[in-house]
Amino acid sequence: MPIQFESPTAQPSYVRFHVPGRMERNAFCDVNGAFLGEEEFRTPVKHELNGDVGYTSHTAFQAEMGVHRHLHFEDAQMRRTLPKAIAFELDTDDQNFIRGFVLEPNPPNVANTQRSLTALRAAEKRVSELNEQQKHLEAISAENEKYQKAVREVALLG
């Protein structure tokens, strides 16, 4: 992202862009090594490098980079984890890192978890009972088929 100043006391103006591949130095500098002007920079990026130039704000640029075809990140999650990730500090307590930066800030509700576990166990028990019933009914069906076959043989052979 080139940063330009109109004067020593002016606010910087930014040119935000996205290029899907690697840029060589001559794509953003002239033969003397000075940065190209904004218009000189935009044209080759847009036409030759299949890039996108001219995001009006950093927020718009981040929103574009967050979509699936680019970097595919969730903006709120990235804002929480990125500062810690680039701090280059060794974090030996993985649980604190996961609870502080990866998991949602709300602690788990133990009562809801217990109810869900109870419901899961009841559903597993019911499935087990239904499997047993199915086996029993399959055995009854097999015996019924044997009976029907025997009745047919008796009727045919007398």
Side-chain angles (χ1 to χ4, degrees), residues 15-39:
V15 179
R16 293 170 179 89
F17 63 95
H18 163 71
V19 178
R22 182 176 170 86
M23 282 182 71
E24 297 299 327
R25 185 174 179 83
N26 62 1
F28 55 87
C29 290
D30 63 15
V31 292
N32 298 328
F35 284 113
L36 296 173
E38 188 173 339
E39 286 306 315

Side-chain angles (χ1 to χ4, degrees), residues 7-121:
S7 71
T9 59
Q11 291 291 327
S13 66
Y14 302 96
V15 179
R16 293 170 179 89
F17 63 95
H18 163 71
V19 178
R22 182 176 170 86
M23 282 182 71
E24 297 299 327
R25 185 174 179 83
N26 62 1
F28 55 87
C29 290
D30 63 15
V31 292
N32 298 328
F35 284 113
L36 296 173
E38 188 173 339
E39 286 306 315
E40 297 169 313
F41 176 74
R42 284 176 186 258
T43 303
V45 167
K46 190 146 185 91
H47 297 291
E48 297 170 18
L49 301 174
N50 296 323
D52 199 355
V53 180
Y55 297 104
T56 57
S57 68
H58 186 69
T59 306
F61 177 74
Q62 275 190 320
E64 179 63 25
M65 290 298 105
V67 297
H68 184 69
R69 69 177 185 269
H70 292 305
L71 300 177
H72 191 57
F73 61 81
E74 184 181 332
D75 192 47
Q77 183 73 8
M78 186 204 63
R79 288 179 190 276
R80 279 191 7 227
T81 57
L82 188 63
K84 181 72 172 178
I86 63 175
F88 299 110
E89 293 175 0
L90 181 60
D91 195 353
T92 57
D93 191 359
D94 296 334
Q95 250 188 16
N96 281 343
F97 178 78
I98 290 170
R99 290 185 190 280
F101 297 100
V102 178
L103 294 177
E104 292 298 320
N106 302 334
N109 187 336
V110 176
N112 284 346
T113 305
Q114 287 176 338
R115 279 194 296 273
S116 296
L117 184 58
T118 303
L120 173 67
R121 288 182 179 152

Side-chain angles (χ1 to χ4, degrees), residues 149-158:
K149 184 178 178 182
V151 168
R152 274 184 261 134
E153 286 179 8
V154 168
L156 289 174
L157 301 175

